[in-house]
Amino acid sequence: MPDGTVDTETIELLRRVSTNTVAGLLIKLGGMRTRTVRNARPLNSARARFVGPAFTVRNVPVREDLTDRASMVGPNSPLYGTVDSVPAGSVIVWDMMGDTSCGAVGDIIMAAFAARGVAGFVTDGAMRDGEAVAGGHLPVFCNGVAPAPSNRSLLAAGVQETIGCGGVMVEPGDIVVADPDGVVVIPRQMAAAVAREGAEQEDIEAWIKARIEAGEPTRGLYPPDDRVRADYRAHVAAVVGAATKV
Amino acid sequence: MPLDKADADALRPISTATITTILLKKGLRNVWIRGARPLRPDQPRIVGPAFTLRFIPAREDLSTTASWSNPVSTRTAIEAMPPDCVVIADAMGVADAGIFGDMLCARMVRRDVAALVTDGVMRDVAGVLATGLPIWSRGIAAPPSVAGLTFVGWQQPVGCGGVAVMPDDVIVVDSDGAVVIPRALLGDVIAEGPEQERSENWIMSEIEKGVPLPGLYPMNAETRARYEASKKAPA
């Protein structure tokens, strides 16, 4: 893993932050407007939430004289051994250059990744064995399904390199956050700040939403002005105070 | 890995159209780089070993003009280019961020780079044309590379215009565009190319004489016998 590995506390905090909040904070904190993976949809919307450090795979177009490198189970592929060595908790980010004519991997390799404790799988291309993968344990975001194997069109070129996936630059160890709305990638040095501020934002927004549902007008309340933020802090202090007394 | 002068000289008369046909017979159907058009119509055919460049999407804090001073930058990559190489720049087909302008092209000329081929676009086109570097690209755009791209490395396997290019593959580029010849197949292309060019020139002369295409192109047995006889006949 490259330098700047993100701590477990940050990962846990991000589990309760939505991709919407993360995408907004990346613009607010870093001016980053290019961090949502395009054309990556959940294969199974009931299994579409994960957070974890990116483990990257890069593909280039296949060439018939290089097919000995194309099978990930063959010793000439840069992917050789990856299935049995990818760290638990990783989110695999698989750059297919948007190619949907073939599937990245199928249900057996996905079962192996799941058994290793991989947290999620993201690609800008398609998957094989769509029904079985959708019913498996590993959440997947992709751009459709296709019966043909990856070596129909693609050749693995590298593992754990800086890649592009769905228009997003992804460095190994960046933090990938996914929920049914999509996939957002946080540069790893921003993960702690996004987690901290994101968790606070989720809390205040839950409180604001309850007030709006109770019939309050949105003006000043959402987005919260200074008065509303002060009210919220008082509310938190009261709740914490009450909890401490018990 | 440089290309032998004898190999380069043998390859230079063979068109990219002929090369794609020969490679197709060897089972390679995807060797022509999509989107790379000649910047000037009169650029000669150029052959040379590939020197690959890889770009990926931009990230706002990394893809800045300051990044041009990084240890991994297009500037340092140019200093690693050997003479007579053909630069293959994988720009992911991005058409709104010019990967190189006149300064970098001028430096490539001074380093004796033979040509630049990209699935992306160039900028500062007037200045680029003035450098004389032969270029095949998707077009022109004013914004700099960092508006949409980040440069991440050189001499890695890349995809350019939908084609896999390995460092030191042999590139031939002419008015039809750029084709990639795997080193292992270079001998086949050099062995079969001249004969295919010769037979096609003969077929063209027959067409000009008014011979109908069926049986001529491709040649049937009778036409082939006439062609073989013509090769033995004094010119």
Side-chain angles (χ1 to χ4, degrees):
Chain A
M1 197 50 75
D3 59 296
T5 303
V6 173
D7 58 88
T8 316
E9 190 187 339
T10 295
I11 301 280
E12 290 307 317
L13 210 49
L14 283 169
R15 288 193 200 287
R16 61 188 189 88
V17 182
S18 74
T19 55
N20 299 255
T21 297
V22 171
L25 284 174
L26 286 170
I27 295 171
K28 179 185 166 192
L29 300 178
M32 293 192 180
R33 294 179 157 77
T34 58
R35 305 303 298 166
T36 300
V37 180
R38 289 197 289 263
N39 301 318
R41 300 295 312 147
L43 199 52
N44 177 350
S45 57
R47 199 173 279 124
R49 289 179 193 276
F50 51 83
V51 180
F55 182 97
T56 66
V57 172
R58 180 167 74 90
N59 288 281
V60 298
V62 77
R63 211 169 71 191
E64 293 86 344
D65 62 314
L66 299 172
T67 48
D68 66 319
R69 302 191 205 180
S71 167
M72 65 185 293
V73 295
N76 294 321
S77 169
L79 286 179
Y80 185 63
T82 296
V83 179
D84 298 316
S85 63
V86 56
S90 301
V91 173
I92 296 174
V93 183
W94 196 280
D95 164 21
M96 298 175 77
M97 306 175 301
D99 194 317
T100 55
S101 66
C102 60
V105 293
D107 59 341
I108 294 176
I109 298 295
M110 290 299 277
F113 284 142
R116 282 203 60 82
V118 167
F121 188 100
V122 177
T123 181
D124 55 3
M127 294 298 288
R128 301 185 78 191
D129 300 320
E131 190 175 19
V133 170
H137 294 293
L138 189 48
V140 175
F141 282 72
C142 61
N143 188 15
V145 295
S150 181
N151 66 8
R152 177 206 177 277
S153 312
L154 299 174
L155 183 68
V159 172
Q160 290 290 67
E161 295 176 334
T162 303
I163 61 167
C165 186
V168 179
M169 178 204 283
V170 184
E171 294 188 316
D174 282 351
I175 301 303
V176 184
V177 181
D179 67 19
D181 280 8
V183 180
V184 181
V185 185
I186 310 172
R188 58 181 184 275
Q189 71 276 16
M190 289 182 69
V194 170
R196 199 180 322 114
E197 194 155 328
E200 283 172 16
Q201 185 174 323
E202 296 295 351
D203 290 343
I204 191 170
E205 286 187 355
W207 178 77
I208 289 168
K209 190 174 175 187
R211 290 177 59 169
I212 286 173
E213 284 169 345
E216 284 189 43
T218 58
R219 190 165 177 187
L221 184 58
Y222 185 75
D225 62 15
D226 290 345
R227 184 185 54 79
V228 168
R229 285 185 185 279
D231 282 357
Y232 174 70
R233 282 193 295 273
H235 161 76
V236 171
V239 171
V240 171
T244 314
K245 275 178 202 149
V246 174
Chain B
M1 192 199 302
L3 186 60
D4 290 344
K5 184 174 183 308
D7 286 345
D9 290 345
L11 212 43
R12 204 168 285 111
I14 307 173
S15 72
T16 55
T18 294
I19 292 168
T20 54
T21 308
I22 294 170
L23 292 176
L24 181 71
K25 289 178 188 166
K26 309 293 174 197
L28 273 72
R29 294 174 175 273
N30 184 28
V31 295
W32 178 76
I33 295 176
R34 294 163 188 80
R37 300 291 308 145
L39 195 58
R40 272 183 210 280
D42 58 346
Q43 289 173 171
R45 182 175 301 128
I46 290 169
V47 305
F51 184 96
T52 66
L53 304 178
R54 183 163 77 92
F55 289 86
I56 60 168
R59 200 178 88 186
E60 287 84 346
D61 60 328
L62 299 178
S63 311
T64 62
T65 53
S67 73
W68 291 335
S69 305
N70 287 350
V72 175
S73 73
T74 47
R75 280 71 177 161
T76 49
I78 288 172
E79 299 309 312
M81 291 173 183
D84 305 319
C85 70
V86 175
V87 176
I88 301 289
D90 164 15
M92 306 187 308
V94 167
D96 56 4
I99 59 165
F100 290 122
D102 53 355
M103 308 280 189
L104 278 69
C105 289
R107 182 62 187 157
M108 282 186 262
V109 169
R110 286 303 294 260
R111 288 194 61 82
D112 296 319
V113 167
L116 168 64
V117 176
T118 181
D119 57 4
V121 298
M122 305 296 291
R123 63 193 300 242
D124 296 319
V125 65
V128 166
L129 286 166
T131 68
L133 181 68
I135 292 167
W136 281 256
S137 71
R138 186 178 291 273
I140 310 295
S145 59
V146 290
L149 295 167
T150 301
F151 179 69
V152 286
W154 62 87
Q155 288 295 66
Q156 297 178 321
V158 298
C160 186
V163 178
V165 184
M166 302 290 145
D168 300 320
D169 279 344
V170 176
I171 307 297
V172 178
V173 58
D174 64 17
S175 46
D176 279 8
V179 299
V180 179
I181 307 174
R183 282 270 176 173
L185 292 169
L186 182 59
D188 292 299
V189 173
I190 289 171
E192 297 174 30
E195 171 55 23
Q196 183 169 330
E197 294 284 351
R198 180 175 180 171
S199 68
E200 289 185 357
N201 286 340
W202 182 81
I203 291 170
M204 181 59 86
S205 69
E206 293 290 289
I207 292 171
E208 286 163 355
K209 286 179 199 161
V211 178
L213 289 177
L216 174 64
Y217 184 62
M219 291 189 265
N220 61 18
E222 181 197 342
T223 305
R224 182 159 291 283
R226 281 206 299 123
Y227 167 61
E228 294 299 335
S230 80
K231 288 203 288 190
K232 294 182 187 106

PDB file of all heavy atoms in Angstrom, chain B residues 10 17 27 34 40 42 72 77 81 85 90 94 107 110-111 132 149 155 165 167 169 171 181-182 201 205 213 220 230:
ATOM      1  N   ALA B  10      13.868  -1.206 -45.384  1.00  0.00           N
ATOM      2  CA  ALA B  10      13.014  -2.208 -46.028  1.00  0.00           C
ATOM      3  C   ALA B  10      11.539  -1.901 -45.789  1.00  0.00           C
ATOM      4  O   ALA B  10      10.683  -2.193 -46.644  1.00  0.00           O
ATOM      5  CB  ALA B  10      13.361  -3.596 -45.492  1.00  0.00           C
ATOM      6  N   ALA B  17      -1.579   0.469 -45.506  1.00  0.00           N
ATOM      7  CA  ALA B  17      -2.673  -0.373 -46.004  1.00  0.00           C
ATOM      8  C   ALA B  17      -2.170  -1.808 -46.233  1.00  0.00           C
ATOM      9  O   ALA B  17      -2.812  -2.784 -45.822  1.00  0.00           O
ATOM     10  CB  ALA B  17      -3.221   0.214 -47.306  1.00  0.00           C
ATOM     11  N   GLY B  27      -3.436 -12.890 -38.262  1.00  0.00           N
ATOM     12  CA  GLY B  27      -4.402 -12.953 -37.169  1.00  0.00           C
ATOM     13  C   GLY B  27      -4.533 -11.683 -36.360  1.00  0.00           C
ATOM     14  O   GLY B  27      -5.267 -11.644 -35.376  1.00  0.00           O
ATOM     15  N   ARG B  34      -6.952   4.541 -34.157  1.00  0.00           N
ATOM     16  CA  ARG B  34      -8.110   5.344 -34.562  1.00  0.00           C
ATOM     17  C   ARG B  34      -7.927   6.809 -34.171  1.00  0.00           C
ATOM     18  O   ARG B  34      -7.432   7.105 -33.099  1.00  0.00           O
ATOM     19  CB  ARG B  34      -9.375   4.786 -33.896  1.00  0.00           C
ATOM     20  CG  ARG B  34      -9.743   3.392 -34.380  1.00  0.00           C
ATOM     21  CD  ARG B  34     -10.727   2.708 -33.426  1.00  0.00           C
ATOM     22  NE  ARG B  34     -10.913   1.306 -33.798  1.00  0.00           N
ATOM     23  CZ  ARG B  34     -10.058   0.345 -33.487  1.00  0.00           C
ATOM     24  NH1 ARG B  34      -8.952   0.615 -32.793  1.00  0.00           N
ATOM     25  NH2 ARG B  34     -10.284  -0.892 -33.867  1.00  0.00           N
ATOM     26  N   ARG B  40      -0.437  17.699 -41.387  1.00  0.00           N
ATOM     27  CA  ARG B  40      -0.191  18.249 -42.730  1.00  0.00           C
ATOM     28  C   ARG B  40      -0.496  17.152 -43.741  1.00  0.00           C
ATOM     29  O   ARG B  40      -0.125  16.003 -43.511  1.00  0.00           O
ATOM     30  CB  ARG B  40       1.296  18.525 -42.915  1.00  0.00           C
ATOM     31  CG  ARG B  40       1.812  19.826 -42.487  1.00  0.00           C
ATOM     32  CD  ARG B  40       3.301  19.835 -42.873  1.00  0.00           C
ATOM     33  NE  ARG B  40       4.088  20.647 -41.974  1.00  0.00           N
ATOM     34  CZ  ARG B  40       4.163  21.964 -42.050  1.00  0.00           C
ATOM     35  NH1 ARG B  40       3.508  22.604 -42.971  1.00  0.00           N
ATOM     36  NH2 ARG B  40       4.886  22.636 -41.180  1.00  0.00           N
ATOM     37  N   ASP B  42       0.977  16.508 -46.482  1.00  0.00           N
ATOM     38  CA  ASP B  42       2.135  16.030 -47.260  1.00  0.00           C
ATOM     39  C   ASP B  42       3.183  15.331 -46.393  1.00  0.00           C
ATOM     40  O   ASP B  42       4.328  15.187 -46.815  1.00  0.00           O
ATOM     41  CB  ASP B  42       2.783  17.220 -47.978  1.00  0.00           C
ATOM     42  CG  ASP B  42       3.214  18.309 -46.998  1.00  0.00           C
ATOM     43  OD1 ASP B  42       2.785  18.257 -45.825  1.00  0.00           O
ATOM     44  OD2 ASP B  42       3.981  19.204 -47.399  1.00  0.00           O
ATOM     45  N   VAL B  72       8.051  13.480 -12.801  1.00  0.00           N
ATOM     46  CA  VAL B  72       7.342  12.776 -13.872  1.00  0.00           C
ATOM     47  C   VAL B  72       6.494  13.803 -14.600  1.00  0.00           C
ATOM     48  O   VAL B  72       5.436  14.202 -14.120  1.00  0.00           O
ATOM     49  CB  VAL B  72       6.463  11.628 -13.323  1.00  0.00           C
ATOM     50  CG1 VAL B  72       5.652  11.011 -14.467  1.00  0.00           C
ATOM     51  CG2 VAL B  72       7.323  10.578 -12.659  1.00  0.00           C
ATOM     52  N   ALA B  77       9.884  13.280 -19.802  1.00  0.00           N
ATOM     53  CA  ALA B  77       9.690  12.189 -20.770  1.00  0.00           C
ATOM     54  C   ALA B  77      10.413  12.497 -22.077  1.00  0.00           C
ATOM     55  O   ALA B  77      11.056  11.613 -22.668  1.00  0.00           O
ATOM     56  CB  ALA B  77       8.199  11.967 -21.027  1.00  0.00           C
ATOM     57  N   MET B  81      13.532  10.413 -24.636  1.00  0.00           N
ATOM     58  CA  MET B  81      13.211   9.889 -25.979  1.00  0.00           C
ATOM     59  C   MET B  81      14.487   9.648 -26.781  1.00  0.00           C
ATOM     60  O   MET B  81      15.311  10.552 -26.914  1.00  0.00           O
ATOM     61  CB  MET B  81      12.317  10.884 -26.728  1.00  0.00           C
ATOM     62  CG  MET B  81      10.921  10.982 -26.142  1.00  0.00           C
ATOM     63  SD  MET B  81       9.948  12.305 -26.931  1.00  0.00           S
ATOM     64  CE  MET B  81       8.436  12.201 -25.944  1.00  0.00           C
ATOM     65  N   CYS B  85      12.752   7.772 -32.670  1.00  0.00           N
ATOM     66  CA  CYS B  85      11.562   7.081 -32.159  1.00  0.00           C
ATOM     67  C   CYS B  85      10.303   7.747 -32.699  1.00  0.00           C
ATOM     68  O   CYS B  85      10.318   8.906 -33.130  1.00  0.00           O
ATOM     69  CB  CYS B  85      11.547   7.071 -30.642  1.00  0.00           C
ATOM     70  SG  CYS B  85      11.240   8.670 -29.881  1.00  0.00           S
ATOM     71  N   ASP B  90      -0.954   8.156 -25.527  1.00  0.00           N
ATOM     72  CA  ASP B  90      -2.307   7.731 -25.158  1.00  0.00           C
ATOM     73  C   ASP B  90      -2.962   8.871 -24.387  1.00  0.00           C
ATOM     74  O   ASP B  90      -2.626   9.100 -23.232  1.00  0.00           O
ATOM     75  CB  ASP B  90      -2.198   6.460 -24.301  1.00  0.00           C
ATOM     76  CG  ASP B  90      -3.473   6.126 -23.541  1.00  0.00           C
ATOM     77  OD1 ASP B  90      -4.537   6.692 -23.861  1.00  0.00           O
ATOM     78  OD2 ASP B  90      -3.394   5.283 -22.614  1.00  0.00           O
ATOM     79  N   VAL B  94      -9.159  12.188 -25.646  1.00  0.00           N
ATOM     80  CA  VAL B  94      -9.673  13.481 -25.170  1.00  0.00           C
ATOM     81  C   VAL B  94      -9.400  14.558 -26.223  1.00  0.00           C
ATOM     82  O   VAL B  94      -8.267  14.712 -26.691  1.00  0.00           O
ATOM     83  CB  VAL B  94      -9.041  13.849 -23.812  1.00  0.00           C
ATOM     84  CG1 VAL B  94      -9.304  15.308 -23.450  1.00  0.00           C
ATOM     85  CG2 VAL B  94      -9.580  12.914 -22.727  1.00  0.00           C
ATOM     86  N   ARG B 107      11.435  20.947 -28.927  1.00  0.00           N
ATOM     87  CA  ARG B 107      12.440  20.158 -28.213  1.00  0.00           C
ATOM     88  C   ARG B 107      12.519  18.732 -28.783  1.00  0.00           C
ATOM     89  O   ARG B 107      13.604  18.155 -28.903  1.00  0.00           O
ATOM     90  CB  ARG B 107      12.129  20.128 -26.713  1.00  0.00           C
ATOM     91  CG  ARG B 107      13.140  19.377 -25.868  1.00  0.00           C
ATOM     92  CD  ARG B 107      14.532  19.988 -25.916  1.00  0.00           C
ATOM     93  NE  ARG B 107      15.504  19.121 -25.220  1.00  0.00           N
ATOM     94  CZ  ARG B 107      16.809  19.126 -25.450  1.00  0.00           C
ATOM     95  NH1 ARG B 107      17.329  19.959 -26.348  1.00  0.00           N
ATOM     96  NH2 ARG B 107      17.606  18.323 -24.794  1.00  0.00           N
ATOM     97  N   ARG B 110      14.608  18.803 -31.780  1.00  0.00           N
ATOM     98  CA  ARG B 110      16.033  18.873 -31.445  1.00  0.00           C
ATOM     99  C   ARG B 110      16.569  17.528 -30.970  1.00  0.00           C
ATOM    100  O   ARG B 110      17.743  17.234 -31.091  1.00  0.00           O
ATOM    101  CB  ARG B 110      16.286  19.949 -30.370  1.00  0.00           C
ATOM    102  CG  ARG B 110      16.186  21.363 -30.884  1.00  0.00           C
ATOM    103  CD  ARG B 110      17.137  21.622 -32.053  1.00  0.00           C
ATOM    104  NE  ARG B 110      18.535  21.544 -31.651  1.00  0.00           N
ATOM    105  CZ  ARG B 110      19.320  22.585 -31.397  1.00  0.00           C
ATOM    106  NH1 ARG B 110      18.864  23.802 -31.544  1.00  0.00           N
ATOM    107  NH2 ARG B 110      20.574  22.420 -31.020  1.00  0.00           N
ATOM    108  N   ARG B 111      15.694  16.700 -30.399  1.00  0.00           N
ATOM    109  CA  ARG B 111      16.119  15.370 -29.942  1.00  0.00           C
ATOM    110  C   ARG B 111      15.987  14.329 -31.057  1.00  0.00           C
ATOM    111  O   ARG B 111      16.119  13.139 -30.805  1.00  0.00           O
ATOM    112  CB  ARG B 111      15.325  14.941 -28.713  1.00  0.00           C
ATOM    113  CG  ARG B 111      15.725  15.729 -27.453  1.00  0.00           C
ATOM    114  CD  ARG B 111      15.185  15.082 -26.190  1.00  0.00           C
ATOM    115  NE  ARG B 111      15.700  13.724 -25.992  1.00  0.00           N
ATOM    116  CZ  ARG B 111      16.876  13.431 -25.459  1.00  0.00           C
ATOM    117  NH1 ARG B 111      17.671  14.388 -25.033  1.00  0.00           N
ATOM    118  NH2 ARG B 111      17.255  12.175 -25.324  1.00  0.00           N
ATOM    119  N   GLY B 132       8.031  21.800 -37.641  1.00  0.00           N
ATOM    120  CA  GLY B 132       8.284  20.776 -38.651  1.00  0.00           C
ATOM    121  C   GLY B 132       8.157  19.352 -38.145  1.00  0.00           C
ATOM    122  O   GLY B 132       8.376  18.404 -38.914  1.00  0.00           O
ATOM    123  N   LEU B 149      -6.338  16.329 -18.517  1.00  0.00           N
ATOM    124  CA  LEU B 149      -5.485  15.139 -18.466  1.00  0.00           C
ATOM    125  C   LEU B 149      -4.359  15.313 -17.453  1.00  0.00           C
ATOM    126  O   LEU B 149      -3.972  16.429 -17.121  1.00  0.00           O
ATOM    127  CB  LEU B 149      -4.854  14.890 -19.842  1.00  0.00           C
ATOM    128  CG  LEU B 149      -5.804  14.526 -20.982  1.00  0.00           C
ATOM    129  CD1 LEU B 149      -5.095  14.633 -22.320  1.00  0.00           C
ATOM    130  CD2 LEU B 149      -6.359  13.112 -20.777  1.00  0.00           C
ATOM    131  N   GLN B 155       6.972   4.827 -21.571  1.00  0.00           N
ATOM    132  CA  GLN B 155       7.446   3.477 -21.866  1.00  0.00           C
ATOM    133  C   GLN B 155       6.714   2.409 -21.043  1.00  0.00           C
ATOM    134  O   GLN B 155       7.324   1.461 -20.538  1.00  0.00           O
ATOM    135  CB  GLN B 155       8.971   3.373 -21.709  1.00  0.00           C
ATOM    136  CG  GLN B 155       9.750   4.098 -22.821  1.00  0.00           C
ATOM    137  CD  GLN B 155       9.537   3.488 -24.209  1.00  0.00           C
ATOM    138  OE1 GLN B 155       8.436   3.527 -24.743  1.00  0.00           O
ATOM    139  NE2 GLN B 155      10.587   2.934 -24.816  1.00  0.00           N
ATOM    140  N   VAL B 165      -0.305  -0.718 -27.557  1.00  0.00           N
ATOM    141  CA  VAL B 165       1.049  -0.419 -28.024  1.00  0.00           C
ATOM    142  C   VAL B 165       2.016  -0.691 -26.881  1.00  0.00           C
ATOM    143  O   VAL B 165       1.861  -0.153 -25.783  1.00  0.00           O
ATOM    144  CB  VAL B 165       1.197   1.044 -28.493  1.00  0.00           C
ATOM    145  CG1 VAL B 165       2.600   1.282 -29.060  1.00  0.00           C
ATOM    146  CG2 VAL B 165       0.136   1.399 -29.530  1.00  0.00           C
ATOM    147  N   PRO B 167       6.001  -0.626 -25.492  1.00  0.00           N
ATOM    148  CA  PRO B 167       7.232   0.101 -25.792  1.00  0.00           C
ATOM    149  C   PRO B 167       8.070  -0.690 -26.793  1.00  0.00           C
ATOM    150  O   PRO B 167       8.198  -1.912 -26.670  1.00  0.00           O
ATOM    151  CB  PRO B 167       7.927   0.170 -24.428  1.00  0.00           C
ATOM    152  CG  PRO B 167       6.817   0.080 -23.438  1.00  0.00           C
ATOM    153  CD  PRO B 167       5.791  -0.823 -24.054  1.00  0.00           C
ATOM    154  N   ASP B 169       7.486  -1.529 -29.832  1.00  0.00           N
ATOM    155  CA  ASP B 169       6.795  -2.008 -31.028  1.00  0.00           C
ATOM    156  C   ASP B 169       7.211  -1.112 -32.193  1.00  0.00           C
ATOM    157  O   ASP B 169       7.590   0.047 -31.995  1.00  0.00           O
ATOM    158  CB  ASP B 169       5.266  -1.881 -30.871  1.00  0.00           C
ATOM    159  CG  ASP B 169       4.646  -3.015 -30.070  1.00  0.00           C
ATOM    160  OD1 ASP B 169       5.299  -4.053 -29.889  1.00  0.00           O
ATOM    161  OD2 ASP B 169       3.493  -2.848 -29.622  1.00  0.00           O
ATOM    162  N   ILE B 171       6.410   1.207 -35.346  1.00  0.00           N
ATOM    163  CA  ILE B 171       5.304   2.023 -35.856  1.00  0.00           C
ATOM    164  C   ILE B 171       5.613   2.437 -37.296  1.00  0.00           C
ATOM    165  O   ILE B 171       6.730   2.855 -37.606  1.00  0.00           O
ATOM    166  CB  ILE B 171       5.127   3.303 -35.011  1.00  0.00           C
ATOM    167  CG1 ILE B 171       4.986   2.974 -33.523  1.00  0.00           C
ATOM    168  CG2 ILE B 171       3.928   4.118 -35.519  1.00  0.00           C
ATOM    169  CD1 ILE B 171       3.780   2.161 -33.153  1.00  0.00           C
ATOM    170  N   ILE B 181       3.343  -2.617 -35.507  1.00  0.00           N
ATOM    171  CA  ILE B 181       3.862  -3.936 -35.879  1.00  0.00           C
ATOM    172  C   ILE B 181       4.574  -4.524 -34.664  1.00  0.00           C
ATOM    173  O   ILE B 181       5.569  -3.961 -34.202  1.00  0.00           O
ATOM    174  CB  ILE B 181       4.861  -3.849 -37.057  1.00  0.00           C
ATOM    175  CG1 ILE B 181       4.249  -3.098 -38.251  1.00  0.00           C
ATOM    176  CG2 ILE B 181       5.315  -5.249 -37.478  1.00  0.00           C
ATOM    177  CD1 ILE B 181       5.242  -2.859 -39.387  1.00  0.00           C
ATOM    178  N   PRO B 182       4.057  -5.651 -34.137  1.00  0.00           N
ATOM    179  CA  PRO B 182       4.794  -6.300 -33.052  1.00  0.00           C
ATOM    180  C   PRO B 182       6.188  -6.697 -33.547  1.00  0.00           C
ATOM    181  O   PRO B 182       6.345  -7.124 -34.697  1.00  0.00           O
ATOM    182  CB  PRO B 182       3.948  -7.540 -32.752  1.00  0.00           C
ATOM    183  CG  PRO B 182       2.591  -7.232 -33.301  1.00  0.00           C
ATOM    184  CD  PRO B 182       2.819  -6.340 -34.485  1.00  0.00           C
ATOM    185  N   ASN B 201       0.793  -3.228 -57.694  1.00  0.00           N
ATOM    186  CA  ASN B 201       1.146  -2.281 -58.758  1.00  0.00           C
ATOM    187  C   ASN B 201       0.828  -2.884 -60.128  1.00  0.00           C
ATOM    188  O   ASN B 201       0.344  -2.196 -61.034  1.00  0.00           O
ATOM    189  CB  ASN B 201       2.632  -1.923 -58.684  1.00  0.00           C
ATOM    190  CG  ASN B 201       2.915  -0.985 -57.523  1.00  0.00           C
ATOM    191  OD1 ASN B 201       2.018  -0.316 -57.013  1.00  0.00           O
ATOM    192  ND2 ASN B 201       4.175  -0.946 -57.096  1.00  0.00           N
ATOM    193  N   SER B 205      -1.858  -1.643 -62.999  1.00  0.00           N
ATOM    194  CA  SER B 205      -1.549  -1.398 -64.420  1.00  0.00           C
ATOM    195  C   SER B 205      -2.533  -2.160 -65.312  1.00  0.00           C
ATOM    196  O   SER B 205      -2.917  -1.673 -66.381  1.00  0.00           O
ATOM    197  CB  SER B 205      -0.096  -1.795 -64.721  1.00  0.00           C
ATOM    198  OG  SER B 205       0.045  -3.203 -64.649  1.00  0.00           O
ATOM    199  N   LEU B 213     -12.358  -6.421 -63.045  1.00  0.00           N
ATOM    200  CA  LEU B 213     -11.863  -6.856 -61.736  1.00  0.00           C
ATOM    201  C   LEU B 213     -12.031  -8.349 -61.450  1.00  0.00           C
ATOM    202  O   LEU B 213     -11.121  -8.960 -60.884  1.00  0.00           O
ATOM    203  CB  LEU B 213     -12.540  -6.040 -60.625  1.00  0.00           C
ATOM    204  CG  LEU B 213     -12.103  -4.572 -60.535  1.00  0.00           C
ATOM    205  CD1 LEU B 213     -12.914  -3.871 -59.440  1.00  0.00           C
ATOM    206  CD2 LEU B 213     -10.614  -4.457 -60.235  1.00  0.00           C
ATOM    207  N   ASN B 220      -7.140 -14.808 -60.030  1.00  0.00           N
ATOM    208  CA  ASN B 220      -7.401 -16.239 -60.171  1.00  0.00           C
ATOM    209  C   ASN B 220      -6.132 -16.915 -60.732  1.00  0.00           C
ATOM    210  O   ASN B 220      -5.117 -16.249 -60.959  1.00  0.00           O
ATOM    211  CB  ASN B 220      -8.641 -16.484 -61.043  1.00  0.00           C
ATOM    212  CG  ASN B 220      -8.487 -15.938 -62.459  1.00  0.00           C
ATOM    213  OD1 ASN B 220      -7.368 -15.670 -62.903  1.00  0.00           O
ATOM    214  ND2 ASN B 220      -9.604 -15.780 -63.164  1.00  0.00           N
ATOM    215  N   SER B 230       4.978 -12.050 -66.101  1.00  0.00           N
ATOM    216  CA  SER B 230       5.395 -10.651 -66.275  1.00  0.00           C
ATOM    217  C   SER B 230       6.638 -10.348 -65.439  1.00  0.00           C
ATOM    218  O   SER B 230       7.468  -9.527 -65.800  1.00  0.00           O
ATOM    219  CB  SER B 230       4.261  -9.710 -65.871  1.00  0.00           C
ATOM    220  OG  SER B 230       4.205  -9.574 -64.449  1.00  0.00           O
TER     221      SER B 230
END
